[in-house]
Amino acid sequence: MKMLRSPICSATLALVLAAGLWLPGCDDRGPVGQAITDANVKLTSLTPTGGATASDDYKLSVYSEILNNLKPHTGQGTPSQQAATYILLSRAQAGLGEAPAAQAADIERSIQDFETRVRAALDQWRTLSAQAATLSSYDPAEELNAIARDAQDREAAIAREQARRSDVDARVAELRSQAATKAAAAKAKRQEEGTILQAMSNATAVQGDEILRRAVVIRREADALDAESSDLEARAAQVAPQSDRVQLEIDRLTAQRTLLDKNRDEVSARAAAMKERASAAQVEARQAADAVTTVVKEMEATSATLPYDDAAAQFEAAAASAKKAAGADKASRSSAEMAVGIPSQSLGDLRLSQARGLAGAVATYEALAEAVPPLPDAAKYRSTLTTLREGRKAALEAATEAYSAAAEAYKNAGGMGQAKERLESVIMGLARTVKATSGGTKDLAVELGLSEAPPETPSDTGSGDAPPPAAAQAGTPEATIETILGAIKSGQYRTILDYIHTDDPMISGLLQSGMGIVEKAAALSSAMTAKFGKGLMDLGPEATGPASKVDLERLRSLTVADFPVEVTGDTAVVHSPPDLEGPNDGLPMRRIDGVWKIDLSAAPSTGGDQQGGPAITGQQLAMMAAFAGPMIKQAGQVFDDVRTGVEDGTYATLDAVKAALEEKFKAMQQGLMKNMTGGMQPPGGG
């Protein structure tokens, strides 16, 4: 476990050290002074300017030792010594808080994995429940025609596969024949070499040299032929398994064809069998529900180990100790206020991290509570969801309070010249964070006198300006759009899946994968913006790959008013802004169990366009899924690799990021095309 410190808090600490505000001046006379000196030396040794960094266990032992050594001296010595004692205690207590804070971050990552598992298990529940419902309503009408068409397709596929196997077998035979020819030629060469070498016994020295030279040449020729033979055998060995794989496909298709022939005579009896299968699917659905319950319990058990309160207690104790330093020595107030600010800011970082973790939990439990059909524990999930929402609200409020205390302490610390300017920059950063954690209700910059409050808007100016848009009414298509836009703005992209309806598991799988790549692209864009001031979409389509179709920044700027909705009973059509890609005739929505969802089962993309264009068939959709799966996985890895490079400094400029992305996506596309074409080059080279 690696103890962490937030970037902004690390920057503040560096600023404090550079400004000389950390420890008040005090003498080292007497036992108090000696204890202060010893503690300061130990703390300084934990952050050396060069050499190896101390281990986490060693740091914890030093912090504990400092606490034990200094506590007997609190309130003793000169005022400056008292202040120094409290400040050093504060530093040690804050250091002890870093370990549980880092542990909480590690556990949060584990919880994110659990949340992914919960959603996967939930998808199983939905899929199996849908299968059970479908099987229960099975109608054999028109199935005979479908069987006949399928049989014809299988026969054609078998013929194609048989032709493929013949080609593979011919290639293998040819390679092995060539290998045998090369091997025979090599054997003949070696026999020739032996014959020549036998003549050396009766040859003169000069003749022997010539014979040996010829023997070496022949041996090399034999070695080359053996190498060529081995290479051909290896190539044959690589190609040969293709024949077995093709035969397996032929066997599979033949079995299907045989099954179709059998089904032709059994359609009339299938209805009863389908009822039995429906019962089996219902059992599997119940098992899937049990699996959801199991994973949720594991996730809840892991969540129960989050040591946020342990870390918070240390940071709060550190801030309290620093406040005592201010009361002990007025001359040390600047150092003491800084000492108050840093653990307060760490506490804010901790509570903000907790709120973010709870936001993910809220999204997960919303999916559990609103699953259709309802899960057996839906009522429990709704109750937990209420608790999580309250916890997230409390965490945000605690973060707001801690950040506010840190900013106020930094303001009170004062400073001169550049140190003051840099400190005010830190305070403004905290003010922006507080504005976000408080939902815009708290403006620290104004409260601390660093900026002026915006003028109040009169309730009726008569100017004709449009009022701000009102929140969408619950239970309407607009409310769903507002929720989806909120998920995009907050980065909770998988929440969107709960508001999309599809009957096709392949489409559901593509959506799951698509959301994954959006998350990875967003993470890279955030890293780029933090380092270069520009995000992923600023690089152009060649560098953004699959993400070029998803302009998150544009989507985050939109409101419900940008999406006109036409409602007809329980169905609706939502129209996108002109600059966003989407169906020209709008995206269908449907009210399902009281919730409006985007209805992909009715989308034009799978049922033909308005101009009579062809619909996407199940086979075509399967082909799309087969291609999209590897593409999404590889593109996600590209975004992850480049994000890591941005964060660790491998890509130090925006141009370097763009070049890396373009190179990686080009290689990815070439690899995918090669796999699709079986290694054949496209016309015109490439």
Side-chain angles (χ1 to χ4, degrees):
M1 177 185 65
K2 185 178 178 68
M3 292 195 289
L4 306 174
R5 183 183 293 275
S6 75
I8 188 170
C9 199
S10 297
T12 306
L13 179 57
L15 171 61
V16 172
L17 293 172
L21 297 174
W22 183 247
L23 194 63
C26 65
D27 59 69
D28 59 359
R29 292 171 296 179
V32 178
Q34 187 59 48
I36 291 171
T37 299
D38 291 345
N40 199 35
V41 169
K42 287 174 179 157
L43 285 172
T44 303
S45 69
L46 296 181
T47 55
T49 56
T53 303
S55 68
D56 291 342
D57 289 340
Y58 178 72
K59 288 181 180 179
L60 292 175
S61 67
V62 171
Y63 293 140
S64 298
E65 182 181 358
I66 290 172
L67 287 177
N68 292 332
N69 292 343
L70 286 180
K71 280 185 177 178
H73 299 292
T74 55
Q76 298 179 10
T78 66
S80 64
Q81 286 178 330
Q82 293 180 37
T85 299
Y86 284 122
I87 288 177
L88 290 169
L89 280 173
S90 174
R91 289 181 63 185
Q93 289 163 330
L96 289 175
E98 290 178 4
Q103 183 183 3
D106 291 339
I107 294 174
E108 285 288 9
R109 283 188 283 273
S110 299
I111 292 173
Q112 289 174 1
D113 293 337
F114 277 117
E115 289 172 348
T116 300
R117 289 174 55 193
V118 167
R119 288 187 175 274
L122 186 57
D123 285 341
Q124 275 291 99
W125 157 255
R126 290 167 171 162
T127 299
L128 291 170
S129 297
Q131 288 178 357
T134 301
L135 291 169
S136 298
S137 61
Y138 172 71
D139 182 0
E142 299 183 5
E143 190 170 356
L144 284 173
N145 290 335
I147 291 174
R149 289 193 298 271
D150 288 346
Q152 187 176 7
D153 291 342
R154 298 305 184 278
E155 289 170 354
I158 290 170
R160 289 193 299 271
E161 295 302 318
Q162 288 172 338
R164 280 183 59 199
R165 183 179 179 185
S166 296
D167 290 342
V168 171
D169 291 344
R171 287 171 60 195
V172 172
E174 176 63 21
L175 289 169
R176 287 176 174 165
S177 175
Q178 293 175 4
T181 300
K182 296 289 184 181
K187 182 178 180 181
K189 286 289 183 181
R190 298 200 188 281
Q191 290 174 347
E192 181 181 353
E193 177 192 3
T195 301
I196 290 173
L197 290 173
Q198 288 176 359
M200 286 186 66
S201 60
N202 299 321
T204 65
V206 174
Q207 291 172 335
D209 288 341
E210 177 60 24
I211 289 171
L212 186 59
R213 184 190 64 78
R214 289 178 56 202
V216 169
V217 171
I218 292 171
R219 185 184 310 124
R220 289 175 178 171
E221 291 174 351
D223 290 343
L225 288 168
D226 278 336
E228 292 178 10
S229 175
S230 297
D231 180 63
L232 289 167
E233 284 290 353
R235 289 168 59 190
Q238 289 178 337
V239 175
Q242 296 181 19
S243 178
D244 295 335
R245 289 196 292 270
V246 173
Q247 183 58 49
L248 287 174
E249 181 64 11
I250 292 172
D251 293 343
R252 186 182 71 84
L253 293 169
T254 302
Q256 291 180 354
R257 180 65 180 85
T258 302
L259 183 60
L260 288 170
D261 290 341
K262 183 179 179 180
N263 285 348
R264 185 181 297 112
D265 300 325
E266 296 178 351
V267 168
S268 59
R270 183 169 296 176
M274 293 297 282
K275 289 183 180 179
E276 294 180 5
R277 290 177 60 193
S279 298
Q282 290 166 355
V283 171
E284 291 179 350
R286 287 192 292 271
Q287 292 172 346
D290 293 340
V292 171
T293 301
T294 299
V295 179
V296 169
K297 286 181 178 178
E298 292 176 1
M299 180 177 67
E300 290 176 343
T302 301
S303 299
T305 66
L306 282 167
Y308 281 117
D309 290 342
D310 294 341
Q314 294 293 348
F315 293 140
E316 289 167 353
S321 294
K323 289 178 182 177
K324 291 179 181 178
D329 183 17
K330 293 183 179 179
S332 304
R333 176 165 181 174
S334 182
S335 299
E337 290 289 354
M338 292 304 303
V340 171
I342 289 177
S344 297
Q345 186 171 337
S346 295
L347 178 60
D349 292 338
L350 180 78
R351 292 306 188 189
L352 181 56
S353 175
Q354 182 182 18
R356 287 170 175 164
L358 288 169
V362 165
T364 299
Y365 276 85
E366 283 177 344
L368 291 168
E370 298 169 4
V372 178
L375 287 161
D377 292 332
K380 175 187 172 184
Y381 297 144
R382 284 192 291 271
S383 175
T384 303
L385 178 59
T386 300
T387 302
L388 289 171
R389 285 170 172 163
E390 293 172 350
R392 179 174 181 269
K393 180 182 178 184
L396 286 173
E397 291 173 349
T400 298
E401 182 180 353
Y403 282 135
S404 299
E408 184 176 358
Y410 294 151
K411 179 71 163 51
N412 293 337
M416 301 291 291
Q418 290 185 348
K420 180 180 179 181
E421 292 176 2
R422 293 170 62 188
L423 198 53
E424 287 183 351
S425 176
V426 171
I427 295 172
M428 291 302 294
L430 290 173
R432 289 189 293 271
T433 303
V434 165
K435 202 157 192 177
T437 58
S438 66
T441 61
K442 190 174 182 65
D443 193 334
L444 270 184
V446 173
E447 292 181 13
L448 298 178
L450 298 179
S451 67
E452 296 182 358
E456 294 186 3
T457 303
S459 58
D460 184 9
T461 61
S463 63
D465 292 340
Q473 183 178 352
T476 63
E478 289 82 359
T480 292
I481 297 170
E482 189 171 60
T483 300
I484 291 174
L485 291 175
I488 293 172
K489 293 173 183 177
S490 65
Q492 301 291 331
Y493 303 108
R494 292 188 184 272
T495 302
I496 299 171
L497 297 175
D498 297 327
Y499 295 91
I500 298 178
H501 170 73
T502 175
D503 296 323
D504 195 316
M506 281 187 291
I507 294 179
S508 178
L510 287 173
L511 288 171
Q512 290 280 356
S513 300
M515 288 303 171
I517 199 171
V518 169
E519 290 175 339
K520 293 176 183 290
L524 170 58
S525 188
S526 296
M528 290 171 57
T529 302
K531 192 161 188 177
F532 307 117
K534 290 188 176 181
L536 185 61
M537 302 311 295
D538 294 313
L539 300 184
E542 291 186 358
T544 52
S548 62
K549 300 295 184 183
V550 185
D551 190 346
L552 292 176
E553 293 304 319
R554 174 71 177 114
L555 288 171
R556 291 188 183 110
S557 70
L558 299 174
T559 66
V560 177
D562 295 310
F563 295 85
V565 179
E566 300 173 4
V567 180
T568 306
D570 285 340
T571 62
V573 176
V574 56
H575 298 278
S576 303
D579 61 329
L580 288 183
E581 291 192 15
N584 294 332
D585 55 342
L587 199 60
M589 298 184 72
R590 181 153 58 100
R591 183 158 47 198
I592 301 173
D593 295 327
V595 178
W596 283 91
K597 299 187 177 185
I598 295 173
D599 185 14
L600 295 188
S601 62
S605 58
T606 59
D609 59 31
Q610 295 296 318
Q611 287 73 38
I616 295 178
T617 65
Q619 185 179 8
Q620 290 171 324
L621 188 61
M623 292 174 64
M624 290 169 59
F627 177 76
M631 181 194 72
I632 289 173
K633 181 178 180 181
Q634 293 182 38
Q637 188 61 53
V638 168
F639 288 136
D640 282 345
D641 291 345
V642 176
R643 175 179 58 79
T644 300
V646 170
E647 292 173 346
D648 65 18
T650 301
Y651 305 118
T653 66
L654 202 62
D655 288 339
V657 174
K658 182 176 182 181
L661 285 169
E662 290 178 351
E663 179 182 354
K664 289 177 182 290
F665 279 127
K666 182 178 180 181
M668 181 191 81
Q669 291 166 356
Q670 290 174 344
L672 290 171
M673 290 301 299
K674 184 176 181 180
N675 290 338
M676 289 181 66
T677 59
M680 297 175 60
Q681 291 290 340

